Amino acid sequence: MKVMKFGGTSVGKPERMHQVAQLITKDGEAKIVVLSALSGTTNTLVSIGDALSKGDKAGAKQIVDQLEAHYKQFILDLLKKEETRAKANAQISEHFEFLNIITKISFNDALNKDILAQGELMSTKLFSLYLEEQGIDHALLPALEFMSIDANDEPQVAAIRKKLNAILAAHSAKKLFITQGYICRNARGEVDNLKRGGSDYTASLVAAATNSSVCEIWTDIDGMHNNDPRVVDKTVPIEQLSFEEAAELAYFGAKILHPTCIWPAQQERVPVKLLNTMQPEAAGTTITQEAGSVGVKAIAAKDGIIAIKIKSSRMLLAYGFLRKIFEVFEKYRTPIDMITTSEVAVSVTIDSDVFLKEIVKELEPFGTVEVDRDQSIVSIVGNEIAETKDVLSRLFDSLKQVPVRMVSYGGSRHNISLLIPSTFKQQTLQLLNSGLFGL
Ligand code: ASP
Ligand code: MG
C-alpha cells in the first residue's frame, strides 16, 4: 500500500485533476489517495463562517452563491459525459443546499466546522466521478468514518488504524482508494478538522495506520529547498532529510510541510516524499529515518516572533527561578521556542501575543521585563551541524552586519537558531545562502 496526497493547487483546476488521475494510475500498486479541497475553497468557507459569526447572513449567502457558480463551471470542464455531469451537479447541489440552510439558522462553532468540511467532501466526490467517467475502478472512503481526534484534539492513532483497516478489508477487491484530507470527527462525534493545512497530517496518519511503503505529498514545488525561495535569489531542492531535520524545518517556517504532520509516519518508519505535480519526474525530497549526510542542509525562517527578556539580580545564584518563569508561560498555554540565559537575565521567544499582556504582568514581580516584537527566528538545520567544523565560524562571518539578538546552539545536534529583527530577515537569509551553501 502507498499513500499519495494532493494539495489544493494540485486539484484546483479541472486539468490538474485530470493529471492527478494519470499520476495515481501509473503503476498497479495499491494506494490511498488523500485530497485537499480545491485551492481557495477552504479560505472561502472560512469567510462564510466569518460573515455568519458577525451576523452578516446576506454577505454569507453571496459568498456561497459565488462558490457554487465556481463549482458549476468546474464540473463542466472536469467531466465530459452529460450523465456524469448530472450526477456531479446533483451531488454538489446537496452541499450548497446545506450551506444555504446554514446561512439561515443560528451560527455556532460546531456548525462552522461543518462548513469547513465541505471543501474536502466536494473535491473527493468530483474526483471520484471523474475516475468513474474514465472507467478507473476505485472506492471513495469517507474520512469521517475513520479519522478521529480526542478531547485534546490529538488524533486517536489506535482507533484510526483499527477502523481504517476494517474498512479496507471490506473492500479487499479494490486497489485504489480516495479519501478526504483535513476532516475528522472529534470526541463529541461532531465533524471537526486537523487545523489548516491538515491534509498532510491525514496522509501521514493514513500511511502510518496502513504501514504503507511510502507517503507521497504532492504539491506545486519540487520538494523542500535549502532556503526560502520566496525570499532568496537562488535555492536548490534537498534530496534527502531525516525526520528530525524535516520537523525542525517545517516548524521553523518551511511552508511546504505541515509541522505536526510528520510524527505518525516517523513512528512507523514510513518514508515521506515531497513531490511536484508540475514536474512529476523530479526527484523531490525524501524524508527517512537516516539523514543521509552530515553538515548544513537548509535554512528556514519564522516571522512574528516576540522576544521577552526578564532581568533580575535575584536570579544570581538562585535555584527555581527558571521554573517560576516557565510556569507563567505554562499557565497561559504559550509555548516557548528559544531560550538563552545569563547569570542575571533570561530571554525567551514566543510566537503568539494572545496572552502577552497577562504574561508580562505576571513576570514583572521577577524583575525588569523587556518585550521586542517583530523578530524572526532563523534556523540552520542539518545533521550533526553542532559538530561540523567551520559551521559556526562561517555562520558568524556571514552575519557581521546583522544585529543578532539571541543564539541557540547545542540544544539539538541538528539545529542552530538565531533571533534577528524581521527587517534583517531577507539580508540574513541571502548572506547565509552564500556563506553556508556558496549559492
Ligand atoms: N483544505 C485545508 C486547508 O486549506 C486542508 C489542506 O489543504 O491541507 O487548510
Ligand atoms: Mg493545502
Side-chain angles (χ1 to χ4, degrees):
M1 186 66 85
K2 94 180 196 188
V3 173
M4 296 174 85
K5 178 256 165 175
F6 294 89
T9 45
S10 301
V11 291
K13 293 211 169 87
E15 60 270 27
R16 307 295 303 274
M17 262 200 191
H18 297 160
Q19 197 197 349
V20 169
Q22 282 180 359
L23 285 170
I24 63 169
T25 48
K26 262 191 182 159
D27 59 49
E29 198 177 340
K31 45 186 82 80
I32 303 178
V33 176
V34 176
L35 299 186
S36 289
L38 312 195
S39 53
T41 294
T42 309
N43 285 342
T44 305
L45 295 170
V46 168
S47 63
I48 293 169
D50 284 349
L52 290 174
S53 72
K54 291 184 199 118
D56 180 10
K57 294 187 174 179
K61 168 83 177 118
Q62 201 181 355
I63 308 170
V64 171
D65 289 345
Q66 278 167 8
L67 191 65
E68 185 166 13
H70 177 71
Y71 276 79
K72 288 240 161 84
Q73 185 59 46
F74 196 95
I75 289 170
L76 277 179
D77 299 331
L78 177 74
L79 304 163
K80 291 285 153 292
K81 293 185 191 153
E82 275 319 313
E83 186 196 336
T84 5
R85 281 181 180 169
K87 249 192 196 174
N89 277 315
Q91 290 187 14
I92 294 304
S93 291
E94 281 179 23
H95 292 275
F96 283 99
E97 266 164 40
F98 172 77
L99 288 172
N100 275 310
I101 290 170
I102 282 189
T103 61
K104 294 189 189 107
I105 61 180
S106 68
F107 180 76
N108 61 48
D109 192 47
L111 270 185
N112 196 33
K113 304 268 178 66
D114 271 312
I115 296 176
L116 294 176
Q118 302 307 307
E120 273 70 12
L121 291 170
M122 292 197 288
S123 68
T124 47
K125 279 188 184 168
L126 289 175
F127 186 63
S128 171
L129 283 168
Y130 176 67
L131 293 180
E132 188 183 308
E133 188 177 79
Q134 298 298 305
I136 299 167
D137 188 36
H138 69 283
L140 182 57
L141 304 182
L144 296 178
E145 286 178 14
F146 63 88
M147 278 309 250
S148 55
I149 50 175
D150 62 20
N152 297 316
D153 291 346
E154 294 297 332
Q156 296 179 301
V157 175
I160 294 168
R161 174 182 287 269
K162 203 169 147 206
K163 284 190 201 145
L164 176 56
N165 285 303
I167 295 172
L168 291 173
H171 288 94
S172 58
K174 301 271 182 209
K175 291 193 89 177
L176 179 60
F177 301 93
I178 314 299
T179 194
Q180 299 87 19
Y182 179 58
I183 63 173
C184 61
R185 285 200 186 274
N186 62 26
R188 293 179 298 278
E190 300 155 350
V191 173
D192 209 316
N193 59 64
L194 300 173
K195 312 260 155 45
R196 293 305 305 274
S199 294
D200 292 344
Y201 205 1
T202 303
S204 172
L205 286 161
V206 167
T210 54
N211 288 95
S212 278
S213 60
V214 60
C215 176
E216 295 181 353
I217 308 281
W218 290 81
T219 65
D220 53 356
I221 338 174
D222 51 353
M224 193 108 70
H225 277 227
N226 74 304
N227 205 332
D228 192 336
R230 293 162 303 180
V231 179
V232 169
D233 284 344
K234 225 200 246 163
T235 63
V236 290
I238 314 163
E239 275 195 25
Q240 162 97 43
L241 279 172
S242 68
F243 282 112
E244 274 106 349
E245 290 168 340
E248 305 244 23
L249 281 175
Y251 180 69
F252 287 111
K255 282 286 171 314
I256 181 164
L257 206 61
H258 191 274
T260 50
C261 96
I262 301 178
W263 68 265
Q266 176 176 16
Q267 225 164 35
E268 296 301 324
R269 297 183 175 238
V270 181
V272 176
K273 273 190 172 202
L274 309 177
L275 296 158
N276 186 354
T277 326
M278 307 290 235
Q279 268 178 281
E281 308 306 331
T285 301
T286 303
I287 307 166
T288 58
Q289 212 56 33
E290 294 77 38
S293 63
V294 166
V296 180
K297 287 226 181 111
I299 304 167
K302 191 174 170 194
D303 299 329
I305 304 293
I306 302 158
I308 304 173
K309 179 152 83 185
I310 306 109
K311 221 167 127 188
S312 165
S313 49
R314 271 187 293 150
M315 191 177 156
L316 196 69
L317 300 175
Y319 52 83
F321 190 82
L322 284 179
R323 179 178 53 78
K324 286 181 204 143
I325 286 175
F326 289 161
E327 268 170 3
V328 175
F329 292 88
E330 190 182 338
K331 177 171 170 196
Y332 292 100
R333 305 182 100 213
T334 302
I336 294 171
D337 287 328
M338 276 176 84
I339 313 161
T340 54
T341 63
S342 82
E343 198 43 54
V344 289
V346 48
S347 281
V348 303
T349 70
I350 57 175
D351 66 1
S352 156
D353 65 0
V354 178
F355 294 110
L356 184 61
K357 256 205 224 129
E358 289 83 349
I359 290 172
V360 169
K361 199 161 169 237
E362 293 207 21
L363 288 174
E364 269 162 356
F366 297 113
T368 324
V369 181
E370 273 172 40
V371 175
D372 286 322
R373 286 172 174 272
D374 300 319
Q375 306 288 306
S376 295
I377 293 179
V378 171
S379 246
I380 297 105
V381 172
N383 186 27
E384 293 177 23
I385 43 171
E387 291 109 84
T388 308
K389 240 179 95 206
D390 291 347
V391 171
L392 274 191
S393 56
R394 277 192 287 148
L395 181 68
F396 287 109
D397 266 356
S398 317
L399 299 183
K400 279 183 193 135
Q401 299 110 329
V402 178
V404 178
R405 163 84 168 71
M406 280 168 75
V407 180
S408 170
Y409 172 81
S412 94
R413 295 167 72 206
H414 21 250
N415 179 307
I416 301 171
S417 293
L418 311 169
L419 188 74
I420 54 157
S422 299
T423 42
F424 282 87
K425 179 176 99 168
Q426 179 172 15
Q427 192 188 353
T428 303
L429 294 183
Q430 195 73 58
L431 287 168
L432 290 176
N433 213 41
S434 47
L436 295 178
F437 296 99
L439 289 169

